[in-house]
Amino acid sequence: MASSQEQITALLQQHDDNIQAIGNKVLNNIRLTKEDGVYLFEHGELSILGALANYVREQKHGDKTYFNRNFHIEPTNVCVFSCKFCSYSRLYKNRDEGWELSIDQMLDIVKGYDGKPVTEVHIVGGVHPKMDLKFFLDLIAKIKEHRPDLHIKGFTPVELDYMFRKAKLTTEEGMKVIHDAGLQSLPGGGAEIFHPDVRTQICHDKVDGDGWLAIHRAAHNLGMHSNATMLYGHVEEFWHRVDHMDRLRQLQDETGGFNTFIPLKFRNDNNEMSHLKESTTIEDLKVYAVARLYMDNFPHIKAYWPMLGRHNAQMTLSFGVNDIDGTIDDTTKIYSMAGSEEQTPTMTTTQLVALIQQAGRVAVERDTVYNEIKVYEKGYTEDEPAMSLN
Ligand code: V47
Ligand code: SF4
């Protein structure tokens, strides 16, 4: 499993001068340029990308592979925006086809986890014109009142930008209010591809790249942590991916507030981009590997198994990935509606640990901010009945 410097140096001899130069930068901890990033996507063979990314992953984390126990709440799939890749939302005028949860219904979901060892609730959904900042401040306060130890990670800049604008608050004021109410981290969604050439084609009407980054900057300045995603494999070119990663890398240099980068593979079922072919598994693995090499200041690279499928997610563990999200229950509809193999994404802790161990890695349960909760020994099985949660 381990990729030593000598093995990689020998492998590099079989590649062209540019790949050798980039590989030597990686081995000597020298930051890659944008040109390097594009070159890797254009000319990097999977074997050398994998070896280099695995080297970096093992330098940073050894064999440790993190997961957490969390559950999702999706307040609504009614949305004022019209992203072309979205298989999940319904416009306000068609809201009878969608769902809208009340605060009590969402609290009932939280209460359903009473006595279970979950550490995080992930709240994300469509942008409903009637679910405003006040509604969500109330929800957050009630969740905290019921279960103060549950870490609330919620809301993308798409949702927050809309809530703050309606409440006539600046980004900084809005973030302070919602953080004070109990919101602790931001998930990585809504980033898609920042460059306007692509953004105007796939999601023209929601917050733009600068707005997305400004909200994460404001969160980091309050001491909050967050994740970042990149939706790839549709109309973007390689340099758009690198531009996207570069903007994130720059913000991370400034604030240090990102935990994890999560590449998200575009799935083409039931949306306005269904005519596009999905990326191949080889391309997916290359994206994870280049992400690990380019995002040198991001501690973690995550594969989100409900979207990739559990077997492909397992493979990514040899291509730079050191985090595999959590055990999810079927309240997560984003990917099942977009055509993921995982129609009811549920894995017990035993299954998730086995998946990590079969790949020769060490399973480590973490909390949202990567404090280690438990390192799992080989042969672990749950004493309790399997929970259908992550
Ligand atoms: O922003 C929507 C993506 C994201 C499709 O931070 C699609 O821990 C593929 O960000 N094909 C939301 N992707 C989900 C998200 C996320 C998920 C898990 C963990 C975390 C985290 C964040 O889902 C959206 C969009 O990029 N998405 N439709 C689709 N058809
Ligand atoms: Fe709305 Fe999010 Fe779907 Fe875009 S991706 S239409 S913002 S739910």
Side-chain angles (χ1 to χ4, degrees):
M1 173 81 52
S3 324
S4 71
Q5 287 235 11
E6 296 72 42
Q7 284 166 329
I8 294 177
T9 308
L11 260 181
L12 281 170
Q13 309 295 320
Q14 300 161 22
H15 294 270
D16 71 35
D17 291 353
N18 286 336
I19 295 286
Q20 287 190 32
I22 296 171
N24 285 322
K25 281 190 186 177
V26 172
L27 294 178
N28 291 295
N29 239 334
I30 298 170
R31 177 168 272 195
L32 302 189
T33 63
K34 280 182 163 186
E35 291 70 32
D36 293 335
V38 174
Y39 196 87
L40 289 177
F41 277 126
E42 281 174 349
H43 303 287
E45 285 173 21
L46 185 60
S47 56
I48 190 68
L49 293 179
L52 287 167
N54 195 46
Y55 172 79
V56 175
R57 180 251 209 253
E58 289 180 358
Q59 290 293 304
K60 286 184 185 286
H61 305 289
D63 281 331
K64 283 184 178 174
T65 300
Y66 295 95
F67 69 96
N68 73 344
R69 296 194 195 224
N70 67 355
F71 63 98
H72 286 225
I73 296 181
E74 295 179 1
T76 183
N77 68 339
V78 174
C79 190
V80 298
F81 297 118
S82 39
C83 305
K84 291 206 175 129
F85 52 80
C86 186
S87 318
Y88 151 94
S89 65
R90 295 292 174 269
L91 285 171
Y92 188 66
K93 63 176 184 203
N94 301 325
R95 61 188 181 283
D96 334 339
E97 297 168 15
W99 70 87
E100 308 172 352
L101 301 183
S102 66
I103 290 190
D104 284 343
Q105 284 173 314
M106 291 189 265
L107 269 179
D108 283 344
I109 297 177
V110 175
K111 288 176 186 165
Y113 291 92
D114 282 356
K116 294 182 179 171
V118 290
T119 56
E120 173 191 286
V121 55
H122 179 159
I123 308 175
V124 72
V127 176
H128 191 298
K130 301 237 161 98
M131 292 181 174
D132 59 6
L133 181 61
K134 199 177 150 301
F135 176 86
F136 286 116
L137 293 177
D138 197 18
L139 173 69
I140 293 167
K142 287 195 167 133
I143 294 176
K144 278 285 164 198
E145 195 178 278
H146 180 73
R147 192 160 174 180
D149 62 318
L150 194 63
H151 186 111
I152 306 185
K153 176 178 89 177
F155 312 111
T156 69
V158 180
E159 297 161 277
L160 294 171
D161 173 66
Y162 186 85
M163 280 182 225
F164 298 164
R165 279 192 291 116
K166 271 195 112 173
K168 299 201 173 12
L169 296 176
T170 64
T171 298
E172 289 71 25
E173 289 165 346
M175 275 315 307
K176 170 129 187 34
V177 169
I178 201 161
H179 177 52
D180 287 349
L183 182 69
Q184 288 156 287
S185 299
L186 301 187
E192 324 313 356
I193 290 281
F194 292 140
H195 198 283
D197 285 357
V198 175
R199 212 166 176 86
T200 47
Q201 288 183 64
I202 67 170
C203 54
H204 71 283
D205 52 358
K206 69 185 185 188
V207 69
D208 65 8
D210 288 343
W212 190 100
L213 290 162
I215 288 187
H216 279 256
R217 179 182 289 108
H220 297 171
N221 287 341
L222 291 167
M224 296 168 73
H225 285 274
S226 71
N227 296 336
T229 55
M230 172 175 77
L231 181 70
Y232 70 89
H234 41 88
V235 300
E236 88 287 1
E237 294 181 26
F238 293 144
W239 70 270
H240 293 121
R241 294 180 190 170
V242 177
D243 173 79
H244 184 89
M245 293 194 287
D246 197 68
R247 292 183 202 217
L248 291 167
R249 197 172 73 172
Q250 285 181 39
L251 181 56
Q252 180 73 335
D253 278 342
E254 192 185 313
T255 64
F258 287 115
N259 281 332
T260 315
F261 182 60
I262 314 163
L264 294 173
K265 172 194 177 88
F266 164 67
R267 306 303 309 242
N268 69 2
D269 238 19
N270 295 316
N271 56 50
E272 285 182 52
M273 287 162 58
S274 293
H275 57 286
L276 296 175
K277 277 209 179 97
E278 289 184 356
S279 52
T280 61
T281 304
I282 290 181
E283 185 63 16
D284 297 334
L285 295 174
K286 284 186 178 180
V287 174
Y288 284 97
V290 176
R292 181 60 289 169
L293 298 176
Y294 198 81
M295 309 294 267
D296 58 351
N297 55 3
F298 271 63
H300 307 284
I301 304 289
K302 188 199 278 192
Y304 187 53
W305 67 263
M307 179 212 25
L308 266 187
R310 59 195 78 188
H311 298 297
N312 288 348
Q314 191 179 40
M315 279 197 285
T316 65
L317 300 184
S318 300
F319 291 83
V321 168
N322 70 291
D323 188 297
I324 196 152
D325 206 76
T327 49
I328 305 279
D329 67 15
D330 59 10
T331 51
T332 295
K333 299 193 180 63
I334 295 181
Y335 295 107
S336 51
M337 289 168 82
S340 173
E341 296 73 17
E342 302 285 351
Q343 286 300 303
T344 49
T346 304
M347 251 202 275
T348 63
T349 303
T350 303
Q351 289 171 315
L352 201 61
V353 167
L355 184 135
I356 293 168
Q357 292 178 340
Q358 278 158 13
R361 303 299 191 182
V362 175
V364 181
E365 186 180 339
R366 62 164 175 88
D367 66 12
T368 310
V369 292
Y370 289 85
N371 294 309
E372 291 186 8
I373 295 176
K374 180 170 171 175
V375 178
Y376 286 77
E377 301 300 330
K378 285 226 157 76
Y380 167 82
T381 45
E382 261 175 349
D383 298 324
E384 294 173 25
M387 286 187 292
S388 77
L389 50 85
N390 40 359

